[in-house]
Amino acid sequence: MGKALIIGCGGVASVAIHKCCQNSEVFSEICIASRTKSKCDALKAKLDGGDTKITTAQVNADHVDELIAIIEAFKPDVVLNLALPYQDLTIMDACLATKTNYVDTANYEPVDTAKFEYKWQWDYRERFEKAGITALLGSGFDPGVTGVFAAYAQKHYFDEINTIDILDANAGDHGYPFATNFNPEINIREVSANGSYWEAGKWIETKPMEIKRVYDFPEIGPKDMYLLHHEELESLGLNIKGIKRIRFFMTFGESYLTHLKCLENVGMTSIKPIEFEGRQIVPLQFLAAVLPDPSTLGPRTKGKTNIGCIFQGKKDGKDKTYYLYNVCDHEACYKEVGSQAISYTTGVPAMIGTMMVMTGQWNRPGVYNVEEFDPDPFMAALNKWGLPWQESFTPDLVD
């Protein structure tokens, strides 16, 4: 049917590319582009021979001119951005210049400030609308599926949703004393930042890991979870009717938190450059380079993830509660696509969001978050492509 340019070749990109090749009726041709072309070539060699034609290219996503050149050469219907969040705006600029649809999984974050929010990308709304192209923001799991879950709950079960608790649990064990399940630099910036939640029309900020709860997750059991700031809180606060409070919790084990605290205490999580042997280095970037590559964790990781949303609100004047979630098995993911479940749960929705735009099911000029479109085709695709969802109308609540 169409062509997709996929920028990035890490763990999430590998899953999304596997899934595009499984979905050759939609993705007749893909180009994998990254700063390190050898990684793209290795993945192409692994997947070649199917119905999806694969090409590769080298590109530095920091440079708009390079991005424009590759888009003009390949002429994709959609650009799927699976590069670093720092590169969102340069890729959006290139899409604007070439009038090409855009999809990503994480919002823009400046390199020198650990602050991620949508304002920079939302500023592109009028320009994308005038260009007649669609930008779909945050089509991973959280953000992404969590927003689709909210739109689905709003459409089918509520007149108004008053509270949302997003719960992200990883009960996987990779056997290392300390490792991150996705890009170490992005992961550590996220969890070491101040937490926040949306309540009564304003942000309430907390210290990192200040608010802890224990939740008994289906198929996983009781886990410690901590309140974090997460980008989908920002868009859901605007797009969900009747919302009064939104919170995001993620599980962490004691070993992870102890190692993280030690690294913080010695300055290794800092994003401020320091002088080392005559050159400037960023401690967190150095740490990311010495930690295990998340893409290598697949064969070591056992256990499951559980990510979902608990909604409370009103239907026909009566109180209503609804829990939508997905459980994903690390070993099953590795058997299918050679990846652990963290990359899988982001890579599958990335492919689905790109498919929604490419097929015209989600196609509206401008810049949009996933919850602003009809959730039903996306929900059906989750069941088809490996992330089946479950629901409960009597879940345990988070206090």
Side-chain angles (χ1 to χ4, degrees), residues 122 125 129 134-138 364-370 372-373:
W122 284 346
R125 282 169 169 159
E129 188 174 351
T134 301
L136 179 65
L137 307 183
R364 191 187 314 155
V367 176
Y368 298 96
N369 295 88
V370 293
E372 295 180 83
F373 291 97

Side-chain angles (χ1 to χ4, degrees), residues 31-251:
C31 177
I32 312 167
S34 177
R35 189 177 308 208
T36 309
K37 186 173 179 290
S38 59
K39 293 172 67 175
C40 307
D41 293 336
L43 190 54
K44 168 181 160 60
K46 183 177 180 181
L47 293 171
D48 258 343
D51 292 333
T52 300
K53 180 182 177 182
I54 304 172
T55 57
T56 64
Q58 192 277 334
V59 70
N60 184 337
D62 292 327
H63 298 155
V64 177
D65 57 342
E66 290 189 31
L67 292 162
I68 290 174
I70 192 173
I71 294 171
E72 288 181 337
F74 183 62
K75 294 181 172 54
D77 300 287
V78 184
V79 171
L80 172 56
N81 169 18
L82 297 175
L84 293 171
Y86 321 136
Q87 297 165 323
D88 286 0
L89 301 188
T90 54
I91 298 173
M92 291 181 77
D93 286 336
C95 286
L96 267 175
T98 57
K99 294 189 176 180
T100 307
N101 295 312
Y102 169 91
V103 177
D104 69 27
T105 62
N107 66 4
Y108 174 73
E109 182 177 346
V111 175
D112 57 357
T113 307
K115 185 175 180 61
F116 49 103
E117 56 185 322
Y118 279 117
K119 70 174 184 180
W120 291 285
Q121 291 178 280
W122 284 346
D123 283 345
Y124 281 71
R125 282 169 169 159
E126 186 176 347
R127 282 173 282 172
F128 267 73
E129 188 174 351
K130 286 183 177 178
I133 54 175
T134 301
L136 179 65
L137 307 183
S139 188
F141 204 108
D142 44 348
V145 175
T146 50
V148 175
F149 280 178
Y152 183 83
Q154 181 172 253
K155 178 178 178 179
H156 294 284
Y157 292 110
F158 290 91
D159 295 323
E160 62 177 53
I161 296 174
N162 302 136
T163 69
I164 306 174
D165 281 328
I166 301 169
L167 312 182
D168 184 328
N170 177 22
D173 182 5
H174 47 58
Y176 285 114
F178 183 80
T180 64
N181 290 293
F182 60 96
N183 184 294
E185 186 180 352
I186 304 303
N187 176 254
I188 292 171
R189 282 169 67 120
E190 180 178 294
V191 302
S192 59
N194 284 342
S196 64
Y197 60 98
W198 177 261
E199 186 165 25
K202 63 182 180 181
W203 290 104
I204 298 173
E205 191 166 288
T206 68
K207 294 177 181 177
M209 306 296 180
E210 178 184 357
I211 296 178
K212 173 186 173 182
R213 299 288 187 268
V214 178
Y215 193 78
D216 190 357
F217 289 88
E219 299 187 41
I220 286 179
K223 295 291 175 185
D224 293 343
M225 61 182 191
Y226 297 82
L227 186 142
L228 304 180
H229 173 74
H230 226 243
E231 59 245 58
E232 67 261 50
L233 307 187
E234 187 180 6
S235 66
L236 292 174
L238 295 175
N239 294 324
I240 301 302
K241 273 191 310 185
I243 200 71
K244 296 177 180 177
R245 188 191 70 199
I246 317 175
R247 302 181 296 184
F248 180 96
F249 292 90
M250 183 176 284
T251 63

Side-chain angles (χ1 to χ4, degrees), residues 359-380:
T359 59
Q361 294 178 86
W362 288 5
N363 194 342
R364 191 187 314 155
V367 176
Y368 298 96
N369 295 88
V370 293
E371 67 271 13
E372 295 180 83
F373 291 97
D374 180 9
D376 291 356
F378 199 109
M379 292 289 281

